[in-house]
Amino acid sequence: MSMVGRDPVEMEKDIKSRYVLTSKDYEDGLRQGKLLGLKCKDCGAVTCPPMIVCQRCGSINLEPTELSGKGELMTYTVIKIPPEGYEAPYIVCLAKTDEGPWIVGRLDYDAQKMSEEMLGKNVKIKGIFPYSDKYSGGEHVCPMFEIS
Ligand SMILES: [Zn+2]
C-alpha cells in the first residue's frame, strides 16, 4: 500500500501498535526475573532484545514471548579501564540463548580467571545489573549471567 495520502495520526497509531514489546518492557521483565523477547508468527524465530521487526525474516507479525534465560557463552571482554562511574575489572559477555538470539550482559565471574576455555560454557541469567551513568539516559538494567 502507498503511504502517500495517509492520515499522519493514523500512521502514528499504526507504528505505535507495532511496538508490542518496548525496551522498557524488556527491562521491566528483567527486573521481575523474566527474559522477554518477541516470537515471529510467520517464521517462528525469536528476537531479543525486542526490535520492531523479526531479526530473521523482517516480519512485523510478532508476539511477546518469555525466553528461558539459559544459553552459551560466545565471547566476552574484561574491562580493566572503566568508564566514569564504573568499577573495574568487570566482564561484559555475549551469550547465545537456547532460543537463538545473542544477547549482551554482564558475567558474574572472577575476571582474573577468564580464559579461552570459558567459551562455550553454559550460562544462565542470575539477575540484573543496574546501571545509570551520564551516557545512558537514565536508569537501565542488563542481564547478569553466571556460569551454570
Ligand atoms: Zn520471522
Side-chain angles (χ1 to χ4, degrees):
M1 191 202 327
S2 165
M3 299 289 266
V4 176
R6 288 185 68 194
D7 177 1
V9 176
E10 285 303 311
M11 278 177 63
E12 196 180 326
K13 261 194 220 163
D14 184 38
I15 289 166
K16 279 187 179 160
S17 74
R18 292 178 194 181
Y19 285 99
V20 292
L21 187 74
T22 65
S23 295
K24 185 183 180 306
D25 298 333
Y26 173 74
E27 291 192 14
D28 286 346
L30 287 173
R31 288 183 180 98
Q32 294 161 23
K34 293 176 183 176
L35 179 61
L36 301 178
L38 293 164
K39 188 171 175 92
C40 179
K41 292 191 220 171
D42 291 327
C43 79
V46 174
T47 295
C48 180
M51 296 179 194
I52 200 163
V53 298
C54 170
Q55 288 305 282
R56 184 198 282 161
C57 75
S59 168
I60 55 165
N61 197 10
L62 307 168
E63 63 184 354
T65 188
E66 186 177 344
L67 289 76
S68 65
K70 294 177 184 164
E72 183 184 339
L73 183 63
M74 302 309 286
T75 188
Y76 68 87
T77 188
V78 176
I79 306 295
K80 293 178 179 165
I81 313 290
E84 196 181 321
Y86 288 80
E87 267 183 47
Y90 61 88
I91 307 160
V92 176
C93 71
L94 193 54
K96 181 182 182 211
T97 62
D98 287 355
E99 293 81 4
W102 292 36
I103 57 175
V104 175
R106 289 288 192 94
L107 180 65
D108 185 15
Y109 201 76
D110 185 345
Q112 313 287 340
K113 291 183 180 160
M114 291 303 287
S115 71
E116 233 175 273
E117 273 97 77
M118 300 299 291
L119 300 179
K121 293 254 192 230
N122 290 327
V123 291
K124 67 171 197 266
I125 295 178
K126 65 171 282 191
I128 51 170
F129 178 80
Y131 61 97
S132 172
D133 57 54
K134 66 182 182 183
Y135 314 104
S136 305
E139 277 186 34
H140 293 281
V141 296
C142 72
M144 175 67 92
F145 288 95
E146 66 182 351
I147 303 292
S148 58

